[in-house]
Amino acid sequence: MERHNIRMIESVWYWFKSNRLHLIFWTIYIMYEAGLTGIFAGRFGKAENYIVHYALNISLFYFHYWMMKKFASKHLYLLFFLLLILLEIAIYIPFLATLNHLFTDYNQSSIRTFFGINHKFIASATYRSIFFIIVSTGYWFLRQYLNERKKAEEIEQDRLQQIVKKETAEKNLLLAQNAHLRAQVNPHFLFNVLTFIHRRIRKSDKIAGEVVISLTSLMRYAIETSQNTEMVLLSEEISQVYDLVNILRVLKGDEFNIEIKVDHNISEIKLIPLLLLTVTENMYKHGDLSDVNNCGVLTIYQSNNTLTIESKNLICEKKKSLTLKTGLKNLRERIRDFYGTRAEIESLEHEGMFHLTISIPVRKSKA
């Protein structure tokens, strides 16, 4: 019972709060009109007179507004407006007379009139009803104007946002192109140097030679796929992941333990470049791959028309180096920009483990 009362109080308070402007307006209007009329007439009427008249007039105001709001959008403008006014006046006059007869001293029956309805009363009631109908119509037009202006402002705001988004995208593209150009300072010279180093050390240090070859392949792939390459074969991406893993195994030794599981017959699937490399690099940078019994796992498989990439690794408690942690953030944006809502990327930290799942629609290469 107490909770019910609290809800009722909250509902009443919400109603007052939502309609406070209307309440303030009608309070000021009634006090002004009743006060001014009483001063000029030299006397004030009974309370029930004011209650009956203003209750009916305010009801007429909102009823007319509701009718305009409900039917004016159906292109019944002038004819509908005139018929509505005539109907409202025809209902208003006898209704006012009845209320006056029941609750006030006015409109009492006599030999000549029924409920005191005469020409003078009809003229006065007609004027009064038309006054509130006109005010209600003006209020409806004001609301229409404000609504249309709000819609226009929203449309203009959306247009400006689209312009800002376009300019931002163009700016980001320009920055990316500049960064790409800076990264392409004679890459062939770099590859030639790495090839020369490989030839000189492969006989004396086979492992170092393999690292140089893997690094060369990895860098060449990263540069070539960034040059207007929209999609790459999954087999090419996996090959580069193995190159990266080989390098890290040489550098970290027993401190680097990762297992790669690839489903069969999916090598011809296409995906955006550097996706798998980013996931693998993230495992190395932010994961703990030192436990041989709890190594990191990278799983790639196809289910129906969806390619799923899953990674799982221990979370590294110590920071390995200063990093902005933008790899996964950038990958999310690339996946969202290219695949839209057709792709999903989810990450989860649970019991010291980091889980990453990426699901993208399958695109196979054309023969």
Side-chain angles (χ1 to χ4, degrees), residues 236-255:
E236 296 178 4
E237 188 82 0
I238 292 174
S239 176
Q240 300 309 312
V241 168
Y242 280 118
D243 282 336
L244 177 61
V245 168
N246 289 336
I247 294 173
L248 293 174
R249 277 179 176 159
V250 171
L251 295 177
K252 306 301 293 185
D254 295 337
E255 297 294 316

Side-chain angles (χ1 to χ4, degrees), residues 99-118:
L99 292 176
N100 280 338
H101 179 78
L102 295 176
F103 300 104
T104 72
D105 295 333
Y106 301 115
N107 291 95
Q108 300 302 314
S109 300
S110 64
I111 299 175
R112 296 183 178 181
T113 61
F114 177 73
F115 280 8
I117 299 177
N118 52 31

Side-chain angles (χ1 to χ4, degrees), residues 1-13:
M1 185 66 180
E2 184 177 350
R3 293 179 62 184
H4 177 70
N5 293 335
I6 293 174
R7 289 178 181 176
M8 285 187 61
I9 293 172
E10 290 177 348
S11 299
V12 172
W13 170 249

Side-chain angles (χ1 to χ4, degrees), residues 105 265 293 302:
D105 295 333
N265 302 321
N293 296 319
Q302 179 184 355

Side-chain angles (χ1 to χ4, degrees), residues 193-204:
V193 172
L194 290 173
T195 301
F196 171 78
I197 294 173
H198 170 255
R199 289 174 181 173
R200 294 299 299 266
I201 68 173
R202 64 179 177 178
K203 294 181 179 180
S204 59

